[in-house]
Amino acid sequence: MEYQHTAQGIFLSRPNRFIAHVMIDGREEVCHVKNTGRCRELLVPGARLVLEYHPEAAEKGRKTRYDVIGVYKEHGGARDETLLINMDSQAPNTAAWEWVQNGGLARWMAQEGDAAANCGPAVGPGNAKDRPAASLDTARTSLVTQSGTTKACPAIPETAPCAGLAGLFRASGTTLAKTHCRQPAITQLRREVACGASRFDLAFLLDGEPSFMEVKGVTLERQGIAAFPDAPTERGVKHVDELTALARKGVPCFLLLVIQMKGVVGFRPNWETHPKFGHALERAKKAGVRILAYDCLVTEGSMQIHAPIPIIL
């Protein structure tokens, strides 16, 4: 993802979660902070900030001309160096959409994350194109192959309140092919899809099966270890628990932790700040939610998901 207009400034103060006072070219400017988290270890007086400039602010009735989207953190990461951290809370979802759209998730499943599910003898049609076409709005739970036999995924009641995906989880007789170490077919990628009491960040068909992904942006790091959250997040716990509930019913679910920087060597839950989120991750992993953590290539004008990092649970 890219920003059209960027500038630099020096952080002065943050009166509340939504605004910051920033020195830009010798003048003090009130800027919108695109992250409602605490960010106390990032927004310290004198810190160099990256700002997104909106030249059309007055025409569009914006109260501020600048958004705070990044910060240079001194003595950060595993090498005790200066880190450029993207702190735009909207950036991870856009970057995740681009990553999935460009085949990142499929490559992860084929190469690293899902060998047991994606490798082995082929059963049934060998290619996605050989199977009946599916629609995300009308897709039905497929059969999965286990040890040469077929077993139906547990059915979700048709009354499941998935407002945007009517009839999403009805059972069908389609058998999914499992070819040897292949990339799965990911199609019909959508953003902000309502299901149950939550609105998941991404939804798509994974080899014809409706699947969901929740995305969490991570800006906190200590001595080279990224952590989430930086403040208690009951909403985050609820989202993870709802992924867990779907996974227990056989629905493919993913949690993507987008580390908005380079320079870290691992991720862990922030047990000190919100142990409930850590326990939610443990439940999710046990239920079969695929949990991924990726760092990012960050410049002042862009952020791109880059490489997987270990998760410490």
Side-chain angles (χ1 to χ4, degrees):
M1 64 153 297
E2 297 183 350
Y3 300 96
Q4 294 301 313
H5 307 282
T6 60
Q8 284 197 12
I10 302 297
F11 177 75
L12 300 175
S13 64
R14 188 183 187 183
N16 57 52
R17 293 188 303 161
F18 305 105
I19 64 170
H21 290 252
V22 181
M23 189 67 68
I24 306 173
D25 294 332
R27 70 182 187 280
E28 184 173 332
E29 186 102 18
V30 176
C31 302
H32 174 237
V33 179
K34 294 188 73 174
N35 190 317
T36 57
R38 290 175 177 171
C39 303
R40 291 173 180 170
E41 77 290 348
L42 300 178
L43 296 180
V44 297
R48 287 188 294 150
L49 301 181
V50 180
L51 312 167
E52 182 179 22
Y53 174 56
H54 298 276
E56 76 291 352
E59 299 175 11
K60 293 188 174 181
R62 281 181 56 104
K63 295 181 179 180
T64 59
R65 295 190 299 166
Y66 295 89
D67 290 329
V68 178
I69 59 171
V71 59
Y72 285 92
K73 179 182 179 181
E74 304 296 334
H75 305 291
R79 297 183 179 181
D80 190 28
E81 58 189 341
T82 300
L83 299 181
L84 174 54
I85 300 175
N86 181 296
M87 53 179 293
D88 178 356
S89 61
Q90 297 176 8
N93 283 12
T94 300
W97 188 91
E98 292 175 349
W99 180 71
V100 176
Q101 181 75 14
N102 293 329
L105 178 60
R107 288 190 295 272
W108 177 83
M109 294 186 70
Q111 298 170 7
E112 301 180 43
D114 221 23
N118 249 12
C119 298
V123 177
N127 299 297
K129 65 182 178 61
D130 296 326
R131 297 194 299 271
S135 163
L136 189 55
D137 288 323
T138 59
R140 293 166 289 190
T141 303
S142 301
L143 300 180
V144 294
T145 302
Q146 298 178 350
S147 302
T149 61
T150 55
K151 179 180 178 181
C153 293
I156 295 178
E158 294 194 17
T159 56
C162 298
L165 301 171
L168 196 59
F169 302 113
R170 299 189 186 97
S172 80
T174 304
T175 301
L176 289 185
K178 297 295 179 184
T179 61
H180 186 71
C181 294
R182 64 175 179 82
Q183 288 191 19
I186 295 177
T187 58
Q188 298 193 37
L189 178 63
R190 294 187 184 178
R191 300 178 67 170
E192 297 293 327
V193 177
C195 184
S198 281
R199 181 176 293 274
F200 293 112
D201 294 317
L202 298 175
F204 46 87
L205 294 180
L206 176 64
D207 279 340
E209 291 188 77
S211 308
F212 296 97
M213 175 180 283
E214 186 67 13
V215 179
K216 299 297 179 189
V218 181
T219 60
L220 175 63
E221 75 84 26
R222 297 189 182 112
Q223 298 179 328
I225 302 297
F228 183 90
D230 77 338
T233 171
E234 294 299 330
R235 183 170 175 265
V237 171
K238 180 172 77 75
H239 285 164
V240 174
D241 282 344
E242 292 201 349
L243 282 179
T244 300
L246 288 175
R248 287 171 177 162
K249 295 175 180 178
V251 180
C253 292
F254 301 83
L255 176 63
L256 175 61
L257 300 154
V258 178
I259 318 301
Q260 295 173 247
M261 68 194 87
K262 292 294 289 185
V264 297
V265 295
F267 168 87
R268 71 173 182 87
N270 191 352
W271 294 103
E272 298 81 4
T273 297
H274 199 197
K276 286 177 64 177
F277 185 82
H279 293 308
L281 287 189
E282 291 177 330
R283 291 192 298 271
K285 180 179 179 181
K286 185 176 180 180
V289 176
R290 284 98 153 189
I291 305 175
L292 305 79
Y294 269 73
D295 67 12
C296 290
L297 294 173
V298 179
T299 71
E300 292 191 356
S302 66
M303 187 180 85
Q304 180 181 10
I305 291 176
H306 185 232
I309 64 171
I311 298 173
I312 307 163
L313 275 181

